[in-house]
Amino acid sequence: MYVVATPMGNLGDITQRALEVLRSVDAIACEDTRHARRLLDHYCITATTFALHEHNEHEAGAKLVEMLRGGHRIALISDAGTPGVSDPGAIAVAAAQAAGFPVVPLPGPNAAITALSAAGLTDERFLFIGFLPPKSAARRAVIEQLKDVPAALVFYEAPHRIEECVADLAGVLEPQRDIVIARELTKLFEQIARMPLSEAVAWLAADDNRKRGEFVLLVSGAPPREGLDAEAERILKLLNAELPTKQAARLAAEITGVAKNALYQRALELKP
Ligand code: SAM
């Protein structure tokens, strides 16, 4: 079984190896067979296709395993980008692996990684969230949970929810954090705009075209907290109440890994 990443807009974004595999397999499992035809026809790929999507993945996965058992070589593609990433694929992959068949990934386009590569965010880490819940209360609750994550946050969003989603990000996260709105990647109207979160709602409202297409939203990681984190503060307070300041700061530094100087300064502030 081959899991093959396919273009997310520009049909030129397909690897040599992906084309070789798609040309040589016995069948291709597609999220949408009609959508896949556009790509397959473009590259004169005539393989048989069958549907494997979120509503039939268990049955279609079982069918795929039967075909593997019959000695067939099968490729799996989704409508755009990498299967299994906010797309069907995981259930079929697990079924093939459970049946003892090797699953070979063919790397290629992915909207999150493509957006990250041109986002200009300097965070060392990123956390891929994908789609947030569609309803605002649930969406805000998830964003709240992500508030302190020291990594860039990466979201997928559909055009009809882009305004409310950006409004919730701006409402919950610190306004000085950067947001990158990456739209229509690899397509004709590709746009990548970076701005402080506080400006994002107005930026979208200023031009209807900015709300069209497919979106990746990236938000820079949580700003460093002022002062000590809650656990370091708690430990320092306990030690500081019992020991001389210097000793309390030294022990708190050993326990928490926080710099001794910062703890010493805070311990001085805490002494009555
Ligand atoms: N499997 C895909 C991948 O590897 O990125 C993601 C599929 S998910 C169902 C579709 C979402 O991905 C869109 O709603 C959008 O958020 C994002 N996306 C896909 N193509 C995109 C593009 N060309 N530009 C920006 N975002 C895109």
Side-chain angles (χ1 to χ4, degrees):
M1 175 178 179
Y2 299 90
V3 181
V4 183
T6 57
M8 50 184 183
N10 189 322
L11 290 182
D13 293 332
I14 188 151
T15 68
Q16 195 65 40
R17 194 170 157 228
L19 288 177
E20 281 162 18
V21 164
L22 292 176
R23 287 200 174 109
S24 69
V25 290
D26 299 295
I28 304 173
C30 310
E31 186 177 2
D32 177 335
T33 51
R34 273 194 301 179
H35 182 98
R37 263 292 137 224
R38 207 175 127 246
L39 173 76
L40 301 178
D41 287 349
H42 183 82
Y43 286 106
C44 304
I45 294 165
T46 52
T48 315
T49 58
F50 64 96
L52 187 151
H53 46 70
E54 60 172 327
H55 304 296
N56 79 345
E57 195 171 349
H58 286 281
E59 308 90 85
K63 171 175 166 177
L64 191 153
V65 170
E66 275 318 299
M67 293 168 90
L68 293 171
R69 284 207 176 96
H72 297 293
R73 297 163 77 238
I74 312 292
L76 168 73
I77 64 174
S78 62
D79 281 353
T82 303
V85 179
S86 296
D87 259 345
I91 293 169
V93 164
Q97 285 166 337
F101 294 101
V103 176
V104 181
L106 270 73
N110 166 258
I113 299 296
T114 304
L116 265 169
S117 73
L121 295 177
T122 52
D123 302 77
E124 279 180 20
R125 300 170 179 180
F126 70 90
L127 179 63
F128 175 68
I129 308 297
F131 291 100
L132 284 164
K135 295 218 169 104
S136 185
R139 185 165 54 224
R140 288 177 82 97
V142 174
I143 299 169
E144 194 70 52
Q145 287 170 1
L146 298 169
K147 199 170 176 176
D148 292 329
V149 174
L153 305 173
V154 185
F155 306 96
Y156 283 166
E157 196 47 276
H160 61 281
R161 271 199 285 270
I162 189 67
E163 277 185 299
E164 42 181 299
C165 179
V166 167
D168 282 344
L169 287 169
V172 176
L173 302 176
E174 296 82 350
Q176 75 272 24
R177 288 168 77 165
D178 274 342
I179 182 167
V180 176
I181 301 179
R183 180 172 90 79
E184 293 291 86
L185 293 167
T186 79
K187 302 187 200 176
L188 189 58
F189 296 109
E190 179 178 89
Q191 185 174 33
I192 301 168
R194 187 170 60 242
M195 67 207 77
L197 253 179
S198 55
E199 293 172 17
V201 171
W203 185 87
L204 277 177
D207 180 349
D208 278 347
N209 287 323
R210 294 177 180 169
K211 291 172 265 196
R212 297 209 169 101
E214 300 194 90
F215 290 86
V216 182
L217 301 173
L218 308 96
V219 181
S220 58
R225 277 166 165 272
E226 296 239 326
L228 303 176
D229 68 42
E231 185 62 359
E233 178 96 8
R234 191 182 71 82
I235 289 168
L236 182 66
K237 267 189 189 157
L238 284 172
L239 295 171
N240 206 32
E242 304 291 332
L243 299 168
T245 314
K246 253 191 172 168
Q247 206 181 345
R250 186 176 56 74
L251 278 175
E254 271 181 36
I255 295 167
T256 62
V258 174
K260 197 167 63 188
N261 275 352
L263 290 161
Y264 182 66
Q265 289 309 320
R266 181 69 184 134
L268 287 177
E269 288 168 17
L270 289 171
K271 278 276 188 234

